[in-house]
Amino acid sequence: MSTKGFMPIGVSGVLDVSAPVKRQKGRRTGLVLLAGVCVGAVAVCAVLMPLVYFTLADLQTKVDRLSASDDHVQKALKLHGDSAVVATDSLGEAVGVQTAYGNGDRPRRDAGAGVRPPPPPPRTGAVYVRWGREGCASDIETLYKGVVGGGHYSHHGGGGNYQCLPLEDVEWDKPQAGYQHGSYMYGAEYQSGNAQFSTDNMPDGISNPLNYDIPCAVCHVVGRFAHVMIPARLSCPQGWSKEYSGYLMSSHHGHQSNKDFICVDGAPNLVQGSASDQNGALLYLVEAQCGSLPNGPYVNGYELTCVVCTK
């Protein structure tokens, strides 16, 4: 039996203190190793604890950011419904909302920030002249009211188109009295139409617009961006809106001055008190001349109609 690591005992069972005692090297080595392990564990903990702390703090920040982003997305989806699309970053996190209005709204840091409101509707549109009427339709903006003017029927020169001259807020800049420049503007008169034009908008008792001055109005229709005058038609193509219809009119073929063809409202107004025959820029109904025009859709001598359409 080995006695390594034990104190010697005498035969009588009494401890022999005179016998040499062996050193217990194994126990001390174990204690040293245990102490080293504890010290090492403390060092490792000292190193790892800050890393664990910062990792937890970073995770909390990400959770807070995801929560705020989710609140923003929910508000946007509630406001825009199906028109909102959630935008994500490379990690799949929601970073904003793309709406039908084309603006990506990112979550803002300031409290109470919401989704941008939709832009106001556009105010642009088509502009046209309503010849023969004092104003536009009730649902159409009237830019101004006026009277039709143009060059004199007997003059060789001057402008070749009719103008809608305003009756209010006429402005001048350095005017000179008298005539110095040789180009003139005259008022326009009806020269035909007692059988064709409706009397609905004429003064009571008047059935013939002959020699009356011709009113006009410049109209702005919002949300439409094109307009066209179609001769020989009373209706518009599919998808277009009819503004008004009437008769094609221009100057007389035998006069010195030729003018544009314009569409004059079929139920015209007349400028009150203007029945005196002053001439000036005259307007005549336009008739079809077959032979040069195809005989079939057109009838020789028929007065041509017209319509103004917008889209």
Side-chain angles (χ1 to χ4, degrees):
M1 179 177 179
S2 175
T3 59
K4 185 178 179 180
F6 292 90
M7 295 293 290
I9 301 175
V11 178
S12 60
V14 180
L15 179 64
D16 186 359
V17 295
S18 62
V21 179
K22 294 183 179 180
R23 297 184 178 272
Q24 301 177 2
K25 294 182 179 180
R27 182 177 296 179
R28 187 177 67 176
T29 302
L31 291 175
V32 170
L33 290 175
L34 180 60
V37 170
C38 291
V39 172
V42 171
V44 170
C45 290
V47 173
L48 293 180
M49 283 302 293
L51 296 177
V52 173
Y53 173 78
F54 287 116
T55 301
L56 291 176
D58 185 61
L59 288 174
Q60 184 62 44
T61 301
K62 287 183 177 293
V63 170
D64 293 341
R65 189 175 69 182
L66 287 173
S67 177
S69 176
D70 184 66
D71 291 343
H72 174 77
V73 170
Q74 293 302 322
K75 290 179 181 178
L77 292 175
K78 184 177 180 181
L79 178 62
H80 294 282
D82 295 337
S83 65
V85 178
V86 178
T88 60
D89 60 12
S90 60
L91 298 178
E93 296 181 3
V95 295
V97 175
Q98 184 76 21
T99 69
Y101 306 105
N103 295 323
D105 293 302
R106 294 182 177 272
R108 300 182 182 180
R109 295 182 180 275
D110 54 309
V115 179
R116 297 187 185 98
R123 294 294 300 168
T124 56
V127 176
Y128 62 89
V129 179
R130 188 165 188 173
W131 306 102
R133 292 295 291 271
E134 295 175 342
C136 308
S138 58
D139 58 338
I140 303 298
E141 178 186 4
T142 300
L143 296 183
Y144 67 87
K145 303 176 182 180
V147 291
V148 180
H152 198 278
Y153 75 95
S154 65
H155 293 173
H156 292 280
N161 56 342
Y162 294 100
Q163 296 290 319
C164 185
L165 302 169
L167 290 175
E168 297 179 351
D169 302 322
V170 176
E171 300 173 314
W172 308 97
D173 187 17
K174 302 183 182 67
Q176 293 177 294
Y179 301 101
Q180 298 89 25
H181 308 292
S183 186
Y184 311 116
M185 181 71 72
Y186 294 85
E189 296 178 352
Y190 290 105
Q191 289 298 298
S192 58
N194 59 316
Q196 283 74 29
F197 288 107
S198 168
T199 61
D200 291 347
N201 296 314
M202 297 182 187
D204 292 340
I206 297 177
S207 59
N208 190 345
L210 180 65
N211 293 327
Y212 273 92
D213 291 350
I214 307 168
C216 58
V218 177
C219 307
H220 176 221
V221 53
V222 176
R224 301 173 196 161
F225 303 98
H227 79 280
V228 62
M229 187 274 284
I230 304 176
R233 287 275 188 90
L234 292 172
S235 58
C236 296
Q238 185 175 2
W240 289 72
S241 298
K242 178 179 176 179
E243 300 300 325
Y244 72 95
S245 61
Y247 293 95
L248 202 65
M249 301 191 79
S250 189
S251 58
H252 193 279
H253 76 94
H255 291 166
Q256 304 293 340
S257 175
N258 62 341
K259 299 287 192 299
D260 287 347
F261 295 102
I262 62 174
C263 186
V264 178
D265 199 293
N269 299 123
L270 307 176
V271 177
Q272 295 281 0
S274 64
S276 61
D277 187 9
Q278 298 295 321
N279 291 319
L282 306 180
L283 274 171
Y284 295 81
L285 289 167
V286 178
E287 298 170 319
Q289 288 284 344
C290 293
S292 54
L293 283 176
N295 191 0
Y298 295 97
V299 179
N300 201 34
Y302 274 25
E303 291 78 14
L304 290 172
T305 59
C306 57
V307 64
V308 174
C309 309
T310 60
K311 184 178 182 180

